[in-house]
Amino acid sequence: MNAPPKLVVFSDLDGTLLDHDTYQWTAARPALDRLASMGIPVVLASSKTAAEIRLLQADMSLTQHPAIVENGSGIIGLDGENQTPTYTKLRRQIEALPDRLSRRFRGFGDMDAAEVAAVTGLSLDAACRAKARDFSEPGLWSGDEDDLGQFQDVLSAHGINAQQGGRFLTLSFGRTKADAMNTIVAALKPEKTMALGDAPNDIDLLQAADFGVLVANPHRPPLPELPGEEQGRIIRTTQAGPTGWNTAVNAYLDMLNEHVGHNSHG
Ligand SMILES: [Mg+2]
């Protein structure tokens, strides 16, 4: 059996490891190469589907590591982690709701790939990957706030959580990125964990890590000060996206080398 890794890095994608505008990650390549040479796993953690994340993992040479998909509802690439997809059950429960409420919600499962491409701005190929869902259902809500409240109450009685994102209302059985991170940490048993994210839905992930990095995103208002920032357990980058990612990861690896470099587990 392999020795546990010294560190596992958990990272959000959009606005964090991927540039907000161009979706490029090449600015983070030096730090990614350094992590790879040290045998440190990088676990991608995103709202994207397994089909979408596998493509990015291949691009970044990260296919040997687990990843967190559909906002924590699922984990791919972890031995012994056999999850039963819940998408069909989720869709059935939405369809069984009173028509007055369910017809206000138009999920990706109600749309063909062309419509998903139109509402997301994705290409048709990418829309097909975004439609290949196992656990959660994003969709557009067309009712008023009162109906939305009732919809959420009824869903909640079925154990379904509804999260409002920038554009889509995403329904799932409620596991978060941090829940999935805990499962991966229990399996890999790293000495330390580092997490990077840019948005409110990454805060749990940053709080669950030994060291958290809030990557600057000039496209959203800055988050209020987080617990742990004053102690330096959580830091903010000044550079945005993959450039900030690269700087923060390199600085943390330098610091770990200084402090534990003389310890050998060989
Ligand atoms: Mg993000």
Side-chain angles (χ1 to χ4, degrees), residues 17-30:
L17 183 51
L18 301 181
D19 182 89
H20 180 90
D21 296 312
T22 65
Y23 300 104
Q24 292 292 312
W25 55 270
T26 41
R29 194 192 292 270

Side-chain angles (χ1 to χ4, degrees), residues 8 64 76 85 91 94 104 110 122 135 140 152 154 159-160 165 168 183 196 209 211 227-228 235 255:
V8 174
Q64 71 275 40
I76 57 172
R91 288 280 314 172
I94 299 165
R104 297 289 182 198
D110 301 309
L122 294 170
F135 306 101
L140 294 167
Q152 285 173 318
V154 180
I160 299 169
F168 299 110
T183 300
L196 303 98
F211 184 60
I235 61 151
M255 197 271 291

Side-chain angles (χ1 to χ4, degrees), residues 7-11 35 181 192-196 205 209-213 235 245 248-250 252-253:
L7 175 69
V8 174
V9 175
F10 293 83
S11 181
L35 291 167
M181 173 180 172
K192 286 200 181 302
T193 55
M194 177 181 192
L196 303 98
L205 197 71
D210 294 312
F211 184 60
V213 177
I235 61 151
W245 200 100
V249 169
N250 271 322
Y252 189 60
L253 293 179

